[in-house]
Amino acid sequence: MENEKKRCIASEKLGDTGFSYTLSLISGKYKMTILYTLMEFTVVRYNELQRYIKGISYKTLSLSLRELENDGLVIRKEYPQIPPKVEYSLSERGKSLMPILDGMCEWGDKNRI
């Protein structure tokens, strides 16, 4: 026991953990809400997302969707027509994140004060 090294929080590199990486993908005020909306409704157009997520600005929604797309969680499909039509859906990688979001929802339902 004497030779056992004690861990110290000051020497840990939490930024290198899987937890930190996952959090970096879903952090932000609306990202989890966007992902959950896409899970519930499968394919959603931009204006529909904006209606579902009350209070989100055009700029914030655009930026969040772009980041989610760049991180490989969301697929953006643009149709060459007038007026322009763009649909968003979860990628396979995004779908693999859904059990985690479901677990968070279940925990919130059980532990709501």
Side-chain angles (χ1 to χ4, degrees):
M1 288 275 210
E2 260 181 62
N3 294 343
E4 200 173 297
K5 197 173 184 182
K6 286 194 173 192
R7 291 174 64 192
C8 176
I9 190 96
S11 63
E12 294 293 323
K13 293 185 175 124
L14 298 176
D16 295 338
T17 64
F19 173 80
S20 180
Y21 175 71
T22 304
L23 203 54
S24 75
L25 295 179
I26 61 174
S27 66
K29 188 172 180 179
Y30 295 104
K31 282 186 180 180
M32 286 194 292
T33 305
I34 291 167
L35 291 169
Y36 208 79
T37 301
L38 293 174
M39 182 188 76
E40 287 292 314
F41 298 101
T42 314
V43 176
V44 183
R45 294 179 69 179
Y46 184 91
N47 288 335
E48 292 172 323
L49 267 171
Q50 203 165 27
R51 280 194 296 273
Y52 293 139
I53 305 169
K54 303 274 189 249
I56 191 169
S57 71
Y58 180 88
K59 182 180 179 180
T60 301
L61 180 56
S62 293
L63 180 62
S64 297
L65 284 167
R66 193 173 315 116
E67 288 174 0
L68 290 167
E69 184 183 6
N70 289 340
D71 290 333
L73 301 175
V74 169
I75 296 169
R76 180 182 190 271
K77 185 172 183 180
E78 191 171 340
Y79 295 89
Q81 65 183 50
I82 298 176
K85 178 181 174 184
V86 178
E87 294 178 336
Y88 296 91
S89 60
L90 290 175
S91 66
E92 287 305 313
R93 186 171 192 222
K95 289 175 187 175
S96 72
L97 192 56
M98 291 306 104
I100 294 165
L101 295 185
D102 275 339
M104 291 173 70
C105 288
E106 288 172 19
W107 187 92
D109 287 341
K110 290 177 187 171
N111 293 281
R112 193 177 305 197
I113 298 176

